[in-house]
Amino acid sequence: KEMALLSRQLVTINTSMELEFKLENLKLKPPNNTDLKKLFSEFEFSSLLGELEDSSEPTPIASSPAIASRYETILTKADFERWLKQLKKAKIFALDLETTSLHPVQARMVGISLCCEQGVACYIPLAHRYLGVPEQLPLDWVIKKLKPLLEDPKIKKVGQNIKYDLIVLRNEGINLKGIAFDTMLASYILNPSGRRHNMDALAQDYLDHTTIKYKDVVGTASKEIGFDEVDVERATEYAAEDADVTWRLYKMLKPRLATEGGTRIYERVDRPLVPVVAQMERHGIKVDRTRLAKLSEEFATETARLEKEIHAFAGTEFTVGSPKQLGEVLFDTLGYKGGKKGKSGQYSTDQSVLERLSGEGAEIAGKVLEWRQLAKLKSTYTDALQQAINPETGRVHTSYSLVGAQTGRLSSTEPNLQNIPIRTEIGRQIREAFVADDGNVLLAADYSQIELRLAAHMADVAPLREAFAAGEDIHARTAQEMFGSVDRDTRARAKTINFAILYGISRWGLAGRLGIEADEAQDLIDIYFARFPGIQRYIVNTMETVRECGYSQTLFGRKTWFPRIKASIQHERQGAERAAINAPIQGTSADIIKRAMARMGPALDAAGLPDVKMLLQVHDELVFELPEGDVEAASAVIRHVMESAAEPIVTLSVPLGVEIGTGPSWGAAH
């Protein structure tokens, strides 16, 4: 009875409370769109920004009738010829393609938009197909007319993610030349920590303009149509706006690159890479579907076996892939200590938790870690790669993002080929499925310990520079310097410490990696700094610079910003500090391999090796496919290009080492 009365009291609204406001204050009022825009921009609420309509302020681009009326649909040869003359006279213009697919290797042109003056743009529909579609210019005729213009290096082209357009145009037989500016790349160089560099975001951030969204034109889910089914007038509004916005962004971002010190890295590292990466994506790499299917079957058998073992340890059956059920088994059923619940009310079972339990003797945790790795590799690679094979080419065509990582590294997606485990047997088996065509081999060229070499140069560490110059085993040298002797154990510890220090690791982090107490780890850090004082000076100087300026720089001038370097929240500040220590080294490494990639094609052509094709870039490694008879000559060229990639901009005091291997598969080339 008491509980029932208490429940009634708890759900009864107290109507006699004194309120600090009047009912009048609660009346719905028109929104303050100016403040809303600032709020939505700050927190990157893209969808809400798109929905926000501000009738009190003029929209700066394309949506106003005066500007929109100057977006022209080109349906006659006379109008097309008029635009062609205009573009030739301008000597520079923005272009944007509308296509049949978001995947460029298999996409074909539906239309092209062009712009060489703010607010004035056109759209040329070429392959729209729907009932009542107006007569369009013949695709072959337009391509024939555009080809000389688009292949003329003296007439400059501007694009947003122009790599995509380059690949699609190549599908149509056009080799785009004269790439002058990529607005996505420019935005990335100016703000590499920004999460968004797509056109909609850049228009909002830099031009305060909300663009027409792709989904608003083609629909979503079951109602989505292809762009070739979009009404030509509506397609013109969308496509011409894209070219216009690209042109406006170019006019705004190019001078900012110069004033903010981004031109050097843009011109010498990133822009030259665009056609190179586009060609790599078009080449793709052959995979052995039969081998992948066999691996998937083996992984499925192994995960099933592991599941049975895990259930036996648990004394009950449960879904191993469910973090909630796993947490309950580990900490409630089996009673292991140290379980922590998050806001959701369930135990954390991430990798660090399972590794800790495994280290404490919980065999079930080790088995779950094995199960997770196999399950992930099966779904991410052996299953997914089979689906990713292009039916026309029989090859996998990964997409490389030039704006995917804050430090300048390329990132690979659809499928991601950069996360295959490097040093495990399972990873090797997956790499065995990447193969060469008949008569060819794969060649893997890998920078040897490039980050340690750069650290030796940038921190001016004499013992390390001497060791690299003499071709010594750097981890053995470190072991000798720190422990006074070299054996398997001291070398392994030295290797861990070498890399950990460069990533700004804490005493607790190093203790965890070496399985020792924090005080002992601190002693090792102190010894390391005593033997290599240049490293400590580098870390201190880097931290002082970043705290003062807000950013670090690579040897080539790429800036990486750290807005949380002065955060009041300790773990955020420490995370920024660790990243700041490594960013100049990792970023310089990324710049060097990019420069090597950009120089590789011309060097191979000059050596009479046009059949050597660069296929992949994975961390510090480049993968090529080439005729068996070209291996010796190509290896010499590839090694020279990679070893000298920093020059003449940067002269390193440490030689860059390159390890080269070949074989019928990627796995065999290691």
Side-chain angles (χ1 to χ4, degrees), residues 475 479 487-497 514:
H475 302 309
D487 56 34
R488 186 174 180 179
D489 178 59
T490 58
R491 185 188 181 281
R493 287 158 70 87
K495 182 177 181 180
T496 299
I497 295 168
L514 294 176

Side-chain angles (χ1 to χ4, degrees), residues 259-326:
T259 57
E260 297 179 30
T263 302
R264 183 184 183 208
I265 196 74
Y266 177 81
E267 292 293 347
R268 295 183 175 182
V269 179
D270 285 0
R271 184 184 60 80
L273 201 65
V274 172
V276 176
V277 174
Q279 190 70 354
M280 288 167 63
E281 292 184 19
R282 291 193 77 247
H283 284 318
I285 187 166
K286 187 176 181 180
V287 293
D288 185 337
R289 186 191 294 272
T290 304
R291 188 174 185 85
L292 287 172
K294 186 172 182 292
L295 279 175
S296 281
E297 190 178 323
E298 290 174 3
F299 289 174
T301 302
E302 185 64 11
T303 52
R305 183 188 66 77
L306 285 168
E307 274 191 19
K308 287 183 179 179
E309 290 188 22
I310 292 166
H311 291 159
F313 280 120
T316 183
E317 290 192 2
F318 68 99
T319 304
V320 178
S322 165
K324 181 176 185 297
Q325 293 183 35
L326 176 61

Side-chain angles (χ1 to χ4, degrees), residues 181 190 194 206 279 296 298 404 442 496 532 548 588 594 606 648:
F181 204 80
L190 291 169
Y206 291 106
Q279 190 70 354
S296 281
E298 290 174 3
L442 294 185
T496 299
F532 307 118
E548 182 181 345
T588 298
K594 282 181 172 180

Side-chain angles (χ1 to χ4, degrees), residues 59-327:
T59 306
I61 301 178
S63 299
S64 67
I67 292 177
S69 64
R70 300 178 74 185
Y71 287 172
E72 183 180 358
T73 308
I74 304 299
L75 294 171
T76 69
K77 291 185 177 181
D79 286 339
F80 176 85
E81 296 283 7
R82 172 171 51 83
W83 264 91
L84 205 57
K85 287 181 182 178
Q86 196 174 326
L87 297 173
K88 289 177 181 177
K89 184 179 179 182
K91 298 291 185 183
I92 184 168
F93 61 90
L95 71 129
D96 188 74
L97 302 183
E98 303 306 333
T99 67
T100 57
S101 173
L102 296 176
H103 301 286
V105 173
Q106 59 198 50
R108 303 307 295 260
M109 279 176 61
V110 173
I112 182 170
S113 52
L114 305 160
C115 175
C116 58
E117 179 186 348
Q118 181 169 305
V120 181
C122 74
Y123 176 62
I124 309 165
L126 296 169
H128 285 258
R129 52 181 188 88
Y130 57 86
L131 192 62
V133 65
E135 186 175 349
Q136 301 159 81
L137 292 173
L139 176 62
D140 291 345
W141 183 83
V142 170
I143 287 175
K144 184 179 178 181
K145 287 284 187 177
L146 282 176
K147 186 177 171 70
L149 180 78
L150 295 178
E151 292 187 346
D152 187 343
K154 294 178 182 177
I155 298 177
K156 304 304 180 183
K157 289 83 181 179
V158 175
Q160 161 73 16
N161 187 20
I162 203 166
K163 171 169 69 73
Y164 176 90
D165 305 278
L166 195 156
I167 295 172
V168 177
L169 287 170
R170 200 73 187 89
N171 297 343
E172 304 292 352
I174 295 173
N175 186 13
L176 183 67
K177 292 180 181 175
I179 296 173
F181 204 80
D182 187 322
T183 51
M184 182 182 75
L185 264 184
S187 169
Y188 169 67
I189 289 170
L190 291 169
N191 182 23
S193 59
R195 289 177 294 174
R196 311 175 306 158
H197 300 285
N198 60 72
M199 183 182 291
D200 294 338
L202 299 190
Q204 194 70 59
D205 293 345
Y206 291 106
L207 306 173
D208 193 27
H209 171 66
T210 302
T211 55
I212 302 169
K213 304 296 184 292
Y214 183 75
K215 66 179 182 180
D216 296 334
V217 178
V218 300
T220 57
S222 61
K223 294 183 179 179
E224 182 174 351
I225 59 175
F227 201 87
D228 54 356
E229 299 173 83
V230 174
D231 177 83
V232 164
E233 288 188 13
R234 180 61 171 156
T236 297
E237 294 173 16
Y238 170 80
E241 181 191 59
D242 278 359
D244 184 16
V245 167
T246 300
W247 181 259
R248 291 170 186 255
L249 287 169
Y250 156 65
K251 287 293 188 180
M252 176 173 282
L253 295 180
K254 185 174 183 180
R256 279 194 58 177
L257 271 185
T259 57
E260 297 179 30
T263 302
R264 183 184 183 208
I265 196 74
Y266 177 81
E267 292 293 347
R268 295 183 175 182
V269 179
D270 285 0
R271 184 184 60 80
L273 201 65
V274 172
V276 176
V277 174
Q279 190 70 354
M280 288 167 63
E281 292 184 19
R282 291 193 77 247
H283 284 318
I285 187 166
K286 187 176 181 180
V287 293
D288 185 337
R289 186 191 294 272
T290 304
R291 188 174 185 85
L292 287 172
K294 186 172 182 292
L295 279 175
S296 281
E297 190 178 323
E298 290 174 3
F299 289 174
T301 302
E302 185 64 11
T303 52
R305 183 188 66 77
L306 285 168
E307 274 191 19
K308 287 183 179 179
E309 290 188 22
I310 292 166
H311 291 159
F313 280 120
T316 183
E317 290 192 2
F318 68 99
T319 304
V320 178
S322 165
K324 181 176 185 297
Q325 293 183 35
L326 176 61

Side-chain angles (χ1 to χ4, degrees), residues 396-409:
V396 168
H397 302 266
T398 188
S399 175
Y400 283 105
S401 172
L402 281 73
V403 301
Q406 187 174 346
T407 55
R409 285 192 168 191

Side-chain angles (χ1 to χ4, degrees), residues 41-58:
S41 295
E42 179 183 355
F43 293 103
E44 300 185 357
F45 295 160
S46 305
S47 298
L48 292 174
L49 271 171
E51 295 171 11
L52 185 62
E53 293 183 3
D54 184 5
S55 58
S56 64
E57 298 180 15

Side-chain angles (χ1 to χ4, degrees), residues 77 102 132 249 314 382 386 430 440 637:
K77 291 185 177 181
L102 296 176
L249 287 169
T382 58
Q386 294 179 66
I430 293 173
N440 285 355
V637 173

